[in-house]
Amino acid sequence: MDFSEISNIVIVAIIFFAIFGADFFKYRLRMKQLEAKIDSSDKIKLIDEVESVKHRLVVLEKIITDKGYEVSEEINNLKS
């Protein structure tokens, strides 16, 4: 192989990587953008779920600390 053949191969390789390399980096950028979007929506869903659980916990605490609940539990204990 002489210098001209090697330089032709190098030129073809550079052109190949320039074309497909740019597409690859565009693809990677788009994937990162989509992952960030998915992460944001997952965070929002998790925040909503935590708020829902907090609300349910408050309701359950009210039920447990309610005097009527205690009386009902005492009656049920006496029946046993």
Side-chain angles (χ1 to χ4, degrees):
M1 281 185 151
D2 62 347
F3 180 73
S4 65
E5 289 178 7
I6 294 174
S7 64
N8 287 341
I9 293 171
V10 170
I11 291 171
V12 169
I14 291 172
I15 292 171
F16 178 81
F17 286 117
I19 293 170
F20 293 107
D23 288 341
F24 174 74
F25 287 114
K26 286 179 190 176
Y27 166 77
R28 293 286 296 164
L29 177 64
R30 181 69 179 141
M31 291 306 293
K32 287 192 183 285
Q33 289 171 342
L34 290 173
E35 288 172 359
K37 186 176 182 180
I38 290 171
D39 289 341
S40 301
S41 65
D42 286 344
K43 287 177 187 175
I44 292 170
K45 287 178 185 175
L46 288 173
I47 289 170
D48 289 343
E49 189 173 342
V50 167
E51 290 300 320
S52 174
V53 169
K54 284 181 180 178
H55 178 70
R56 292 175 65 194
L57 181 62
V58 168
V59 170
L60 288 172
E61 286 175 341
K62 285 180 183 178
I63 291 171
I64 296 297
T65 57
D66 184 20
K67 290 291 184 187
Y69 179 80
E70 290 177 15
V71 171
S72 176
E73 281 296 308
E74 288 177 18
I75 293 170
N76 285 336
N77 288 339
L78 292 173
K79 288 180 182 178
S80 303

